[in-house]
Amino acid sequence: MVVVGSGVAGVTAALNAHEALPGRNVLLVTKSLLDDGSTRWAQGGIAAALGPGDTPEQHSRDTLVAGAGLCDPDAVRTLVTEGPDAVRRLIGLGARFDADPAGVLALTREGGHLRRRIAHAGGDATGAEVSRALLLALADAAADTDEGPGIEAIEHAMTLDLLQTTDGRVAGITLHVIGEGQHDGVGAVLAPVVILATGGIGQLYVATTNPAVSTGDGLALGLRAGAQAADLEFVQFHPTVMWLGPGSTGRQPLISEAVRGEGAFLVDGDGRRFMTGRHPLADLAPRDVVAKAIMKVMAETGTDHVYLDGRHLGEQIWTERFPTIRASCLEHHIDPLRDLIPVVPAAHYASGGLRTDQSGRTSVPGLYACGEAACTGVHGANRLASNSLLEGLVFAERIAADLARGLPPTAEPAWSLARERPVGLSRSSARGQIQALMTERAGVLRSGPGLAAAADELRKIGEDASDQPGVAAWESTNLHLVATALVAAASVRTETRGSHWREDYPEASDDWLGHLIVTVDGLKAQPDLLVDGLTVIFEPMPTTPVSTP
Ligand SMILES: Cc1cc2nc3c(=O)[nH]c(=O)nc-3n(C[C@H](O)[C@H](O)[C@H](O)COP(=O)(O)OP(=O)(O)OC[C@H]3O[C@@H](n4cnc5c(N)ncnc54)[C@H](O)[C@@H]3O)c2cc1C
């Protein structure tokens, strides 16, 4: 089988599949270096009911509240009940979380959590530690044993598309291995199972916390293969990303919510706190609430950022809990002990993705997805802080369990299909155009006319094909398809809910209690919902009440 991506989800899926299916080949391919994804940048930690008095029920309740009516309660139940053991297994693998001298985990609080339940490592370097532990385990699993082959991992190998049989089943991948001279080229790997763990879509926007590899490749290639995507309109903008000055682009340093969890608060340019009175949790309100409040304050005061005041936290907290954030502030000549930190919302997390069931299966036979590339239904309209590393662990483990129940036989790809797709590659330079457009028209604030203009512009960008195939052109092509699908879903959802904010429809509406499912082909039975060549279907939430755990 092939696993695409080497973040928390991909490596967990590969390790578990290797263990569950001794004797089977597991190939992990990744676009850049093994640790180059969002996982290693995660700061705050992993949420799980691990502390005294905390329960999966309470974790579930907070997750459902953040999800604004659109979480799948069954998926949430799975996340919160299987989460604590998944974190314990990660610790068993060697991940070192912060603990007191007696070994009791140090747990912090983040926005939307009513309890301290976020396990963290190295103060604010949780992702780096999770990545370190998982990649060490991956290296340990590389050697062949008497039981079977080890996991093979290939860096600088970008998956381009899926190979499929004539009846649509997965048959492998095409990939571009990016190397020197004769090692550079396009090839194919045959496999009856492909697990997409390609991470997020932050590179759709000018300012993002996501690294350069987060171009929505898995989502795009899954869509091209006929898979369903869900909840694409729900992109979480992290409220507190360091503002680096006008016109700054690319990955921007995150100021974790945990800083507010420890007592920092937001102020406007005149030093006035503005979250108090807007929400019962004030500065620790769910992310969409805080991001929207910041956007409002910026609009009212005509400024392009607000400030985070953490001066009172003191030297010990800044050096012991937040060494990475402090270092990144100092790098930009801001001393958080003395200075206010300029902050602005930036694209952070895709709550939607390739739609999966609770075993990680997409709608394409043989195709699985996990981590940020997937939409398991746990996040609904807005992800609760620190639930994503946990989701990556829990649902990647479930894929391996599903595969252990039976693998499909290797299938013959229909090569003609592979040659037909994609119809045309976008130009590499389209990336910047798409980012500017999405930021202006489909970012934190959206409106019908703005989204229509975005769709028009995307259509024009799509007509301008590339004559230079290569990684950059494929990334632009993927960003273009994901942007088109996201804009289509955001246009259709005429309400404000969770992280989707429509200025022309400022209230949530019960008519929209459900999911928008986007496909490139298939589901064509309802042509009235065709948007830009994509089919967008509204699927109401099930009416049968589902009990909480
Ligand atoms: C700055 C920051 C802070 C965060 N803090 C937290 C936190 O405190 N707690 C929390 O729970 N979550 C946090 N998140 C979110 C969380 O880190 C991510 O959602 C999670 O790590 C995603 O894991 P993943 O394995 O799905 O993807 P990633 O870790 O992004 O990995 C994706 C992998 O896929 C590879 N890839 C992509 N496209 C291709 C392709 N075409 N071919 C081959 N390989 C490909 C990439 O190179 C990479 O290896 C944070 C995110 C960021 C950016």
Side-chain angles (χ1 to χ4, degrees):
M1 79 200 62
V2 177
V3 179
V4 185
S6 53
V8 61
V11 178
T12 304
L15 289 171
N16 281 273
H18 177 64
E19 199 182 315
L21 296 154
R24 302 303 298 232
N25 288 311
V26 179
L27 171 68
L28 181 146
V29 295
T30 194
K31 189 159 64 166
S32 179
L33 296 171
L34 279 170
D35 70 348
D36 206 355
S38 287
T39 297
R40 85 162 147 118
W41 296 103
Q43 294 180 344
I46 303 186
L50 292 159
D54 197 5
T55 59
E57 288 79 1
Q58 295 178 56
H59 188 184
S60 166
R61 225 164 288 141
D62 292 347
T63 302
L64 294 171
V65 168
L70 295 195
C71 296
D72 172 347
D74 290 329
V76 173
R77 185 186 307 116
T78 298
L79 178 84
V80 300
T81 51
E82 297 183 11
D85 278 345
V87 175
R88 286 183 199 108
R89 280 190 286 276
L90 186 61
I91 293 170
L93 217 56
R96 294 184 293 253
F97 284 89
D98 297 335
D100 70 14
V104 177
L105 276 181
L107 300 171
T108 190
R109 244 186 97 189
E110 288 189 303
H113 290 273
L114 293 182
R115 299 190 70 95
R116 285 186 167 258
R117 67 165 68 93
I118 321 293
H120 47 85
D124 55 3
T126 309
E129 176 58 15
V130 168
S131 186
R132 182 198 68 78
L134 286 171
L135 291 179
L136 262 183
L138 186 72
D140 283 349
D144 296 346
T145 65
D146 292 343
E147 288 196 51
I151 302 176
E152 188 182 355
I154 308 180
E155 293 181 317
H156 301 294
M158 179 184 187
T159 299
L160 305 178
D161 250 330
L162 288 175
L163 293 169
Q164 285 171 282
T165 60
T166 39
D167 59 354
R169 161 168 284 288
V170 162
I173 56 167
T174 53
L175 79 173
H176 184 153
V177 179
I178 311 138
E180 299 286 315
Q182 61 181 16
H183 298 299
D184 189 285
V186 175
V189 178
L190 298 188
V193 169
V194 172
I195 302 170
L196 295 174
T198 50
I201 60 171
Q203 289 295 324
L204 275 182
Y205 295 92
V206 171
T208 177
T209 60
N210 291 192
V213 292
S214 304
T215 48
D217 296 355
L219 177 51
L221 70 91
L223 277 167
R224 284 193 293 269
Q228 297 179 7
D231 294 348
L232 296 184
E233 64 276 32
F234 298 112
V235 178
Q236 187 173 76
F237 284 75
H238 197 290
T240 53
V241 172
M242 200 189 300
W243 181 78
L244 298 178
S248 45
T249 58
R251 198 186 70 78
Q252 325 246 311
L254 175 70
I255 311 294
S256 166
E257 206 146 25
V259 176
R260 276 173 285 136
E262 294 296 338
F265 50 80
L266 288 157
V267 293
D268 64 15
D270 293 326
R272 272 190 298 263
R273 289 185 72 163
F274 55 83
M275 284 311 299
T276 320
R278 280 184 198 250
H279 190 277
L281 291 172
D283 292 87
L284 283 176
R287 286 183 180 171
D288 61 303
V289 175
V290 181
K292 286 170 193 172
I294 293 175
M295 296 303 290
K296 271 195 180 140
V297 168
M298 282 171 18
E300 281 159 17
T301 56
T303 51
D304 46 16
H305 59 280
V306 295
Y307 295 94
L308 188 66
D309 191 348
R311 293 173 295 185
H312 54 290
L313 299 189
E315 178 128 27
Q316 194 181 358
I317 292 231
W318 276 112
T319 42
E320 287 176 15
R321 273 291 281 115
F322 305 120
T324 315
I325 298 172
R326 184 172 185 223
S328 113
C329 286
L330 291 173
E331 215 176 283
H332 293 94
H333 313 292
I334 295 157
D335 181 352
L337 278 165
R338 271 188 289 278
D339 305 320
L340 297 174
I341 307 170
V343 290
V344 70
H348 185 54
Y349 185 80
S351 293
L354 289 175
R355 189 188 206 194
T356 69
D357 65 11
Q358 289 203 47
S359 294
R361 286 184 285 223
T362 70
S363 54
V364 171
L367 182 64
Y368 289 75
C370 53
E372 199 169 332
C375 180
T376 60
V378 299
H379 304 304
N382 199 16
R383 174 192 67 134
L384 182 65
S386 285
N387 265 356
S388 41
L389 289 173
L390 189 71
E391 184 198 28
L393 289 173
V394 166
F395 288 90
E397 288 183 354
R398 289 186 138 243
I399 291 178
D402 191 61
L403 293 174
R405 288 189 278 271
L407 276 179
T410 303
E412 181 59 29
W415 292 103
S416 56
L417 273 182
R419 273 197 296 273
E420 275 166 23
R421 282 194 319 250
V423 178
L425 288 175
S426 299
R427 289 183 183 282
S428 320
S429 57
R431 183 174 182 139
Q433 282 174 276
I434 295 167
Q435 289 174 336
L437 184 66
M438 292 299 285
T439 303
E440 191 187 340
R441 308 284 195 192
V444 183
L445 303 178
R446 299 162 180 179
S447 72
L451 290 163
D456 274 351
E457 228 15 73
L458 285 167
R459 234 169 272 135
K460 284 184 205 141
I461 293 171
E463 285 158 12
D464 191 13
S466 169
D467 47 7
Q468 296 248 305
V471 168
W474 273 95
E475 286 186 338
S476 289
T477 306
N478 292 337
L479 285 169
H480 180 261
L481 176 55
V482 173
T484 306
L486 193 159
V487 166
S491 316
V492 171
R493 185 176 286 280
T494 47
E495 66 157 354
T496 289
R497 180 185 299 277
S499 52
H500 172 65
W501 193 11
R502 287 282 301 252
E503 289 177 290
D504 41 355
Y505 294 93
E507 304 296 332
S509 158
D510 285 351
D511 294 345
W512 284 110
L513 268 175
H515 304 283
L516 289 170
I517 313 298
V518 181
T519 45
V520 164
D521 40 43
L523 296 181
K524 286 212 170 122
Q526 301 176 48
D528 51 329
L529 287 168
L530 272 175
V531 182
D532 282 325
L534 300 162
T535 310
V536 185
I537 301 281
F538 178 66
E539 200 178 273
M541 296 292 282
T543 44
T544 20
V546 190
S547 59
T548 48

